[in-house]
Amino acid sequence: MKKLTLFSFIISSLLFVIGCQSGKTIRVDSSQVTEYRDLTIRDLDEMSTKMFPKLMQSVLAQSNDTQPPSLAIGPMTAQISVEFPEALRINRLRNVITQSGLAQISGSSSNSTLNEYIRFAKSQQGRSGTNLPDYVLTQKIYENREYQPRVIFKTYTYILELVDLRPDSRSLGSVVVSETETIVKQVKK
């Protein structure tokens, strides 16, 4: 009887310890394991965090003012099978820009097309004191699939571009700087 009680105590203690451990989240370094999932908002955050400083450190993105350039977050082109909530994507990108300290955000409108931004900037040429952003930041994401016997390799290409909106610039309406990151994912069939 004593052995049975001791055995029951050990088993219940083990179950209690295992049960307490089940809620613990462990983050695994993605470079050490093969990922079997699609692109996530976290992937976009990590790529944006790498890409945005490179984008803003380009000589072409620098402004003549002592103030950092102002940016509008523009439309996103996505040719991928995964969808991200628009508000979440813009908020996360806004956080990356703000935390970098390399630019000011003057607004975001994913409903406006790039042509509308450019058309408005051109209408402001020759006017003084316009409250126009220096650049519009656009995002593009493309997915390419390669089928293998048991998995699908998905290559996601993420592109950030700065389009010049400065009314006095010769490159008004042109992409002045672009950064690209690629990530490959494996998805089980």
Side-chain angles (χ1 to χ4, degrees):
M1 184 74 171
K2 220 176 193 183
K3 286 185 179 182
L4 184 59
T5 307
L6 181 61
F7 181 71
S8 298
F9 176 73
I10 291 172
I11 295 296
S12 62
S13 296
L14 276 173
L15 290 175
F16 177 74
V17 169
I18 291 170
C20 290
Q21 293 286 328
S22 66
K24 187 176 181 182
T25 302
I26 299 172
R27 184 169 177 184
V28 179
D29 182 10
S30 60
S31 66
Q32 297 175 355
V33 296
T34 303
E35 294 185 44
Y36 289 99
R37 59 188 172 110
D38 279 318
L39 188 70
T40 65
I41 196 76
R42 182 176 162 200
D43 295 325
L44 289 179
D45 288 348
E46 289 173 359
M47 288 190 288
S48 296
T49 302
K50 280 191 247 177
M51 295 166 64
F52 187 72
K54 291 180 192 175
L55 192 72
M56 295 309 296
Q57 290 170 357
S58 167
V59 175
L60 297 172
Q62 302 299 316
S63 66
N64 296 333
D65 300 337
T66 57
Q67 293 277 76
S70 62
L71 300 179
I73 299 174
M76 175 179 182
T77 303
Q79 294 177 354
I80 56 176
S81 57
V82 182
E83 290 188 32
F84 300 108
E86 189 77 14
L88 179 62
R89 179 192 56 78
I90 288 175
N91 186 48
R92 300 296 261 288
L93 188 56
R94 185 183 295 264
N95 289 342
V96 168
I97 294 168
T98 304
Q99 291 172 3
S100 75
L102 298 171
Q104 303 175 65
I105 299 175
S106 69
S108 60
S109 177
S110 57
N111 296 332
S112 299
T113 66
L114 184 57
N115 287 335
E116 290 171 332
Y117 278 105
I118 295 168
R119 206 171 309 123
F120 182 72
K122 286 183 178 178
S123 74
Q124 301 301 306
Q125 286 179 320
R127 295 184 182 180
S128 61
T130 62
N131 193 19
L132 188 68
D134 297 317
Y135 304 100
V136 62
L137 179 67
T138 63
Q139 303 170 76
K140 298 175 183 174
I141 304 175
Y142 301 101
E143 175 183 319
N144 185 34
R145 295 179 179 201
E146 181 184 327
Y147 295 92
Q148 296 295 323
R150 293 193 179 142
V151 295
I152 303 170
F153 288 96
K154 294 183 178 183
T155 303
Y156 295 98
T157 304
Y158 184 43
I159 303 167
L160 288 180
E161 295 178 331
L162 284 183
V163 177
D164 195 351
L165 292 181
R166 298 170 296 175
D168 58 343
S169 173
R170 291 188 316 192
S171 60
L172 174 64
S174 300
V175 174
V176 290
V177 184
S178 179
E179 279 293 323
T180 304
E181 281 282 328
T182 302
I183 188 170
V184 179
K185 300 281 190 148
Q186 290 182 25
V187 180
K188 290 182 180 179
K189 286 185 180 179

